[in-house]
Amino acid sequence: MNPLSSTIAAVSTPRGRGGIAVIRISGTDAVSVAGRMFVPAGKTDVSGLPERYAAFGDILDPDGIPCDTGICTVFRAPKSFTGENMVEISCHGGISVTETVLLSAIAHGAVMADAGEFTKRAFLNGKLSLTEAEAVGGLIDADTTEKMKLSGGAVRGNVSREIKRLSDSLLDVMTALYAAIDYPEEDVGDEGERHIGEVLRTVSGGVKRLLATYKTGRAVQSGVKCVICGRPNVGKSSLFNRMVGEESAIVTDVAGTTRDVLRETVSFGGVTLRLSDTAGIHTSGDAVEQIGIGRAVDEIEGAELILAVWNASEPLTGHDIELIGRLKDASAPVITVLNKTDLARGLSGEDEAQIASVSGDMIRVSCETEEGIAELASAVAKLFGSDKLDLRHDAVIWDVRQRTQLMRADAALDSAVAGLTYGDPLDAVCTTVEEAMAALSETDGRGVNEEIVNEIFARFCVGK
Ligand code: GDP
């Protein structure tokens, strides 16, 4: 681990060939390190460059010999990403030239940055809160628009602002409680206690609301393991393809064509589904298909969402009834999908009632005409709450660490509210409010210990 006093350097663009690459240098000596390896065209040297001015010039290798031309931008503390002096050097993005420029920064006085060290320094210097810093990691990793909206919202402070708002209210309560404890002769009175109770309940409601967003946040960020199941030929692969939006599963009218489990991650109904299309669930003599069916049953057991597909144009078969039996024991929510509604109806009213006994969520679709696919997306959105949240603007959490701290705050607030209601001594109530405050502070980093900070930033890659 580098001490904060060191000047660090790393390549901040991905490794590989590219038009340009950016080498970042941060720390007290950033400008002098850059001054030894970059010669701006014209008369000034790097130390004479105005702040945030892109200067063209020669980049020198570790031996001081020009190896490339590029752009140098100087950021002076505290007006930089890390809050320290920073220099960004853009060179041509060849693998060798990028490495040479980085080695030149090291040869001229910088040390190699650790994973996540730029963002960690930004946090330690108060440029970002912990939830914002964690969201930077999420934004860099975002591979769907929904994930980008979620992390982008948190980078812009959606979660931090909400936690600050709740902490500020709690601080008012603590001030009132301290005054009441220190000056018992100035009785807070019923009115005062009622007010404290009201504020505590409001903060508790806010914490509960934030906690409730976890289900959606996690469904967007980590994704939901979703399995499509049903007997052969009901249209599972066709549904998979409709959801994925491309022909990635093989669709044929020969029963049992999907022999293995196909996987794809899609953004559907505003959440991230880690989809698997399983082999038709039924008893089969074909050994290869049998292995596929074994996997399909495993998939159902490990799923967080099950899309059970039925052919609406045929009466229920024995295999369908077998599946209904299995699904009744499933722990994950099930959405039943009646497919092939473009064809004449084959299911009897009784058949439909049997299917409906698996789950109240029944959607009629046609993978042929695409009818009903939007309704299916809405049913998924409703199940994971993405229909009620605006990922770009609402405070939404997805991180298990944040959730753990908020749960701690929630429990403390519940017990503070109960204590106040049952007339516990005010100093006991105050202790639980302090516990809630500590938990909120840790959620957003103001009270986080060094070990946790190091662990969080180690998850980043070098150059971030
Ligand atoms: P799977 O075995 O359950 O994966 O079923 P497939 O997706 O391979 O589909 C089996 C057959 O049903 C194929 O010939 C599809 O074109 C056809 N099919 C799938 N969905 C529909 C639908 O909504 N309407 C009609 N008419 N045919 C469909």
Side-chain angles (χ1 to χ4, degrees), residues 80-103:
S80 75
F81 176 70
T82 56
E84 303 173 328
N85 285 335
M86 271 188 92
V87 177
E88 285 184 1
I89 295 178
S90 313
C91 61
H92 291 100
I95 292 175
S96 185
V97 71
T98 306
E99 217 165 86
T100 304
V101 177
L102 174 64
L103 289 176

Side-chain angles (χ1 to χ4, degrees), residues 183-240:
Y183 305 99
E185 62 284 0
E186 288 174 28
D187 194 5
V188 276
D190 288 350
E191 187 57 37
E193 278 196 20
R194 216 177 358 258
H195 176 69
I196 291 175
E198 258 167 40
V199 179
L200 280 180
R201 267 184 281 272
T202 310
V203 175
S204 165
V207 169
K208 286 186 199 312
R209 260 195 308 284
L210 202 51
L211 269 173
T213 66
Y214 178 74
K215 185 179 181 185
T216 313
R218 202 184 145 273
V220 171
Q221 196 64 258
S222 318
V224 173
K225 189 165 184 284
C226 170
V227 52
I228 303 178
C229 64
R231 73 169 160 85
N233 241 12
V234 291
K236 294 181 299 299
S237 301
S238 307
L239 181 64
F240 180 91

Side-chain angles (χ1 to χ4, degrees), residues 230-241 250-258 277-278 280 309 311 313 339-343 365-370:
R231 73 169 160 85
N233 241 12
V234 291
K236 294 181 299 299
S237 301
S238 307
L239 181 64
F240 180 91
N241 288 342
I250 320 149
V251 180
T252 69
D253 51 7
V254 182
T257 33
T258 310
D277 172 18
T278 64
V309 188
N311 182 346
S313 73
N339 187 32
K340 307 201 189 186
T341 50
D342 55 299
L343 301 177
V365 308
S366 162
C367 292
E368 191 72 25
T369 65
E370 214 173 321

